[in-house]
Amino acid sequence: MSNPETKSITRELQSHAAILGSCVALLWIIEIVDVFLFRGGLNSYGVRPRSLDGLEGILFMPFLHGSFAHLAGNTLPFLTFGWLIMLRKISDFFVVSAVTMLVSGLGVWLTGAPNSVHIGASGLIFGYFGFLLLRGLFERSFTSLLISLVVGFFYGSLIWGVLPSQPGVSWQAHFFGFAGGVLAAQLLGRQKREIN
C-alpha cells in the first residue's frame, strides 16, 4: 500500500500532465481548425503593432501559429519549461503565463514593424525561460538556484533569440517575453520571501 506522500506526489504529477496536456491539445486543435477550416485566416488575430484592433492579439498571439512545423517547434519547450515552472507550485505557471503574455504582447504592439502580424507561443516560451533562469536569483532558495543553473546550462543559448536575427521571426516577442518572465520571477520571488 502506498503512503500518503507518494499519493500526493502522484496526484500533483497528474495535475501537471492534465494542465500541460490540455494546453498543448488546445494549441494543436486551434492550428488544425485554422489550417483546414479557415485556411490560415485566424492568424490575422495576432498582434498587429499600433493598431487598436491589434490589441486583441495580446490574448490570441500564443495560440496561433504559422504552420504545423512552427507549432511543433514550440511544443516541446512549452512542455519542458511549463513543467519546470509547475514543480514548485502549479499557480506559478498561470501567473508567469499571464504576466508574460501581457508584457510580450504589449511590447510587440508598441515596437513591432507597422503592418506586421505577430503570432506564436515563442514569446511565452521565452518568458518561461527568463523566469526559470532568474527565479533562483529572486527567490534565493537552493532548489530554485539549482533549476536556474540547469536551465542555463542546457538552454542558455536561447538567450540569442532575444536579438534581431532571422527575417519573419518576432524577436520582439522573444525579447519582451523574456522580460515578462523576469518580471514574474521578481514578483513571485518577492512574494515567497515575504511569506517566509
Side-chain angles (χ1 to χ4, degrees):
M1 197 171 206
S2 59
N3 63 34
E5 189 174 313
T6 303
K7 286 183 179 177
S8 174
I9 290 170
T10 302
R11 275 195 305 272
E12 189 83 5
L13 290 174
Q14 287 171 340
S15 295
H16 295 175
I19 292 165
L20 289 169
S22 298
C23 290
V24 168
L26 178 63
L27 292 175
W28 279 91
I29 289 167
I30 289 170
E31 186 60 18
I32 289 166
V33 167
D34 186 33
V35 167
F36 293 108
L37 293 182
F38 294 98
R39 304 283 188 242
L42 293 181
N43 291 341
S44 65
Y45 290 98
V47 173
R48 293 188 309 267
R50 292 174 299 288
S51 153
L52 284 180
D53 290 343
L55 280 170
E56 66 190 12
I58 292 171
L59 178 62
F60 301 131
M61 180 173 72
F63 300 99
L64 303 170
H65 289 83
S67 66
F68 288 119
H70 184 201
L71 176 54
N74 282 337
T75 298
L76 185 59
F78 177 87
L79 288 169
T80 305
F81 291 157
W83 182 66
L84 288 171
I85 291 169
M86 283 187 186
L87 279 178
R88 190 173 69 79
K89 204 172 173 186
I90 288 176
S91 63
D92 286 356
F93 172 75
F94 295 106
V95 171
V96 176
S97 296
V99 171
T100 297
M101 282 173 66
L102 182 63
V103 174
S104 177
L106 278 174
V108 167
W109 189 82
L110 288 168
T111 65
N115 302 317
S116 62
V117 180
H118 298 252
I119 55 174
S122 57
L124 196 55
I125 289 164
F126 271 83
Y128 294 166
F129 173 60
F131 176 82
L132 290 166
L133 200 59
L134 292 168
R135 178 170 74 173
L137 176 70
F138 294 115
E139 282 188 9
R140 299 182 193 138
S141 74
F142 175 76
T143 305
S144 296
L145 282 168
L146 183 62
I147 290 173
S148 292
L149 289 171
V150 168
V151 167
F153 180 78
F154 285 105
Y155 296 100
S157 62
L158 278 179
I159 198 72
W160 300 112
V162 302
L163 300 174
S165 56
Q166 296 172 285
V169 173
S170 179
W171 67 269
Q172 296 97 332
H174 297 179
F175 178 83
F176 288 104
F178 186 85
V182 172
L183 176 62
Q186 187 176 17
L187 294 171
L188 290 172
R190 185 187 309 143
Q191 183 184 66
K192 187 169 187 274
R193 288 198 313 273
E194 286 171 1
I195 291 169
N196 295 336

